[in-house]
C-alpha cells in the first residue's frame, strides 16, 4: 500500500463506537472523502454538485451525507452514490452498502 513518510495515504483509520454499528465521521474522514470525490468527478462537477457537502456518519452499512439542498441531494444520490460508497469504504475501512443523501435543512 502506498505511503508518504510511512503514513498510509489511502485510508484514514476510523474510530468506531463500542457497539461497532454507529460511527460519527471526523473532519479528516469528511475531507478525505471530499478530496477523493473531487479527483473522480473533476473540479467543475465537484464545485457545482458537491459544494457544502458533509459526510456525517455511518450507521451499520449506511452512510449519511448532507447536501446543500434537496435537488442537489437527489442528484448526488442518483448519480454518485456508488462512487461515494466505494470511496468511503476505502477511507473508513468499513463496508458501505447504502448512501443516504439528505438536504442540510434536515440535519
Amino acid at each position: 500500500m502506498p505511503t508518504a513518510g510511512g503514513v498510509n495515504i489511502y485510508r484514514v483509520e476510523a474510530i468506531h463506537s463500542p457497539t461497532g454499528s454507529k460511527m460519527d465521521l471526523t473532519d479528516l474522514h469528511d475531507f478525505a472523502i471530499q478530496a477523493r470525490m473531487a479527483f473522480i468527478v473533476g473540479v467543475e462537477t465537484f464545485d457545482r454538485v458537491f459544494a457544502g457537502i458533509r459526510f456525517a456518519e455511518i450507521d451499520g452499512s449506511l452512510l449519511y451525507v448532507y447536501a446543500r439542498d434537496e435537488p442537489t441531494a437527489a442528484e448526488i444520490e442518483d448519480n454518485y452514490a456508488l462512487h461515494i460508497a466505494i470511496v468511503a469504504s476505502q477511507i473508513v475501512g468499513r463496508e458501505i452498502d447504502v448512501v443516504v443523501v439528505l438536504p442540510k435543512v434536515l440535519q
Side-chain angles (χ1 to χ4, degrees):
M1 185 157 290
T3 61
V7 176
N8 180 341
I9 61 173
Y10 287 121
R11 184 167 163 223
V12 178
E13 291 300 318
I15 301 170
H16 301 283
S17 70
T19 62
S21 66
K22 187 172 180 181
M23 176 181 136
D24 290 330
L25 297 181
T26 65
D27 286 343
L28 189 56
H29 291 121
D30 181 28
F31 298 146
I33 296 168
Q34 286 186 43
R36 187 86 54 91
M37 288 305 301
F39 179 76
I40 291 169
V41 302
V43 69
E44 290 177 10
T45 300
F46 186 84
D47 286 348
R48 181 179 56 82
V49 177
F50 290 88
I53 197 163
R54 169 79 174 126
F55 298 95
E57 69 180 81
I58 296 172
D59 191 358
S61 63
L62 279 77
L63 170 64
Y64 289 93
V65 180
Y66 295 99
R68 70 177 170 258
D69 56 30
E70 195 166 336
T72 303
E75 181 177 356
I76 292 170
E77 197 166 280
D78 291 344
N79 299 325
Y80 303 103
L82 179 60
H83 293 88
I84 292 169
I86 292 168
V87 166
S89 293
Q90 293 171 342
I91 289 172
V92 300
R94 281 175 73 166
E95 190 65 32
I96 304 296
D97 295 323
V98 178
V99 176
V100 179
V101 186
L102 302 167
K104 282 191 176 181
V105 294
L106 299 177
Q107 184 177 10

